[in-house]
Amino acid sequence: MSLFRALKKTCSLIKKSLFSRETTEAVRMEPTKINMSRVALVSGGMDSAMLKAHKPRVMSKSGHSNVRIDKVDGIYLLYLQDLWTTVIDMKWRYKLTLFAATFVMTWFLFGVIYYAIAFLHGDLEMNKFSPKREPCVKNVDSLTGAFLFSLESQTTIGYGFRFITEECPHAIFLLVAQLVITTLIEIFITGTFLAKIARPKKRAETIKFSHCAVITKHNGELCLVIRVANMRKSLLIQCQLSGKLLQTYETKEGERILLNQASVKFNVDSSSESPFLILPLTFYHILDESSPLRDLTPQNLKEKDFELVVLLNATVESTSAVCQSRTSYIPEEIHWGYEFVPVVSLSPNGKYVADFSQFEKIRRSTDSTFYSMDSEKQKLEEKYRQEDQRDRELRTMLLQQSNV
């Protein structure tokens, strides 16, 4: 019977293994269904962008610097010399910790000094053996009592149980010194708090740049276009947008500059300065002979290695503080032959509406020359066209003169 049971168990194991193998093969042979409606449409130029996803940037899209300062001798001493800026630049968690630690440390430090004065004057033993003798500080017979007296004096609580007497002039001098020193420390810490809160840094974070830039035609000129918007109702006045092109440059002497800076000028329509930023604005950089981006073509755009840092300087109307917002663009974020979708429209009740759902959207330009030829060919054809027109006008004038 035991042999029969063993054979039966072996057969069941073989069946299970065969069943699992058939199931696995069936799963392998079953066609995979993919919901194409959920697959995002990706343009052909995104492959190079994904390959260069880890490309180093000097400035992040959010405007933070990616440059690390390393191997500086005495860097901590430099931070201490400019203590005001160091404390202001601290993160809030470190600043609150410093704020609390400063008070606790001063309370404890002066408490220890009061305890040492009481010990040297014999007040600790006086409370036990000669209660009629006047101590330096009343009711301070332990380190805890000295700490509480220091806390009550510095915070001007004054419970009345512990107080200083006329017995020890040096204790009176110490009390005056404590109040003066701690008042200066409180002024410093409070000033850094107010300066950090009043900084226009958070206001600059409400300025939004378009994630990508486009190259299109504007008023007959080939332009690099970006879009900027103010996300608050409070106005930003005297807005000025400028750019810096960062790229590797080699001088005539053979010196290789890793991050050479070239200025890139932006205009709002016909002016480089906007009176106020109340609606999303479009800034243009003309790609002419004076532009550092004049060599860009549809073919070599994605192959270029540069970074365009854009800076917007504006004045906050409510506080008159100057704020700066920054971002950067790399070649993979610049689209040739595209234009931004309009975001400003007029509502039926006569109000202008800025639809930010269209802020990042771009569409192909209606100019077909972007897809058939590069900028150099366009310039040559335009040149030949102008020369041909001048020749025709000259022949017409000569013909008219000959007829006369």
Side-chain angles (χ1 to χ4, degrees), residues 73-342:
D73 295 335
I75 186 170
Y76 296 107
L77 181 60
L78 295 175
Y79 284 162
L80 289 176
Q81 290 177 352
D82 189 12
L83 189 60
W84 176 264
T85 306
T86 303
V87 177
I88 290 178
D89 290 340
M90 279 184 177
K91 294 183 179 180
W92 277 109
R93 54 180 177 269
Y94 301 134
K95 194 173 182 65
L96 292 174
T97 303
L98 177 65
F99 180 75
T102 302
F103 281 98
V104 174
M105 288 175 62
T106 53
W107 296 337
F108 182 76
L109 176 62
F110 283 99
V112 170
I113 300 176
Y114 283 122
Y115 181 77
I117 291 175
F119 176 78
L120 295 175
H121 191 257
D123 296 345
L124 305 180
E125 298 163 352
M126 185 190 311
N127 294 332
K128 298 179 181 178
F129 303 104
S130 56
K132 293 182 179 181
R133 188 179 174 185
E134 193 74 13
C136 291
V137 183
K138 281 283 190 179
N139 300 317
V140 174
D141 51 1
S142 64
L143 182 60
T144 304
F147 174 79
L148 291 175
F149 173 74
S150 175
L151 186 152
E152 295 167 11
S153 301
Q154 184 172 329
T155 56
T156 65
I157 294 176
Y159 290 120
F161 182 70
R162 298 178 182 88
F163 56 91
I164 200 165
T165 64
E166 301 176 0
E167 183 70 20
C168 301
H170 48 277
I172 299 174
F173 176 79
L174 178 62
L175 178 62
V176 174
Q178 179 185 7
L179 296 179
V180 172
I181 293 172
T182 54
T183 301
L184 293 176
I185 294 175
E186 290 177 11
I187 292 173
F188 180 83
I189 297 295
T190 306
T192 57
F193 265 89
L194 293 177
K196 189 175 182 66
I197 294 173
R199 284 195 309 175
K201 182 178 179 181
K202 294 298 180 182
R203 182 63 181 92
E205 292 179 359
T206 59
I207 300 173
K208 184 177 182 180
F209 289 91
S210 58
H211 186 270
C212 63
V214 297
I215 295 179
T216 186
K217 278 193 173 182
H218 177 70
N219 291 334
E221 299 282 352
L222 192 64
C223 299
L224 173 70
V225 184
I226 64 173
R227 180 177 277 175
V228 185
N230 178 19
M231 307 300 292
R232 295 179 67 94
K233 288 186 177 180
S234 59
L235 297 182
L236 290 172
I237 58 178
Q238 297 179 353
C239 301
Q240 293 181 340
L241 190 79
S242 60
K244 290 292 183 181
L245 183 67
L246 307 179
Q247 60 182 349
T248 304
Y249 175 74
E250 188 171 348
T251 63
K252 296 180 180 180
E253 294 77 16
E255 181 184 1
R256 189 170 181 269
I257 303 175
L258 185 61
L259 292 175
N260 181 61
Q261 299 186 19
S263 297
V264 180
K265 297 181 180 180
F266 283 89
N267 299 323
V268 184
D269 293 332
S270 60
S271 174
S272 61
E273 183 173 327
S274 176
F276 53 85
L277 185 60
I278 189 172
L279 291 173
L281 293 180
T282 304
F283 289 83
Y284 304 91
H285 169 69
I286 301 176
L287 300 177
D288 53 9
E289 294 298 328
S290 61
S291 170
L293 298 170
R294 59 184 175 273
D295 296 331
L296 288 183
T297 63
Q299 288 75 23
N300 66 6
L301 175 60
K302 305 302 179 183
E303 299 174 359
K304 290 284 186 178
D305 185 14
F306 65 84
E307 181 179 355
L308 177 61
V309 179
V310 180
L311 306 98
L312 177 68
N313 296 307
T315 303
V316 183
E317 185 189 35
S318 56
T319 61
S320 298
V322 179
C323 65
Q324 184 183 88
S325 185
R326 302 172 293 270
T327 190
S328 70
Y329 299 93
I330 57 177
E332 287 74 22
E333 297 167 350
I334 301 176
H335 303 281
W336 188 287
Y338 285 79
E339 60 185 8
F340 286 107
V341 176

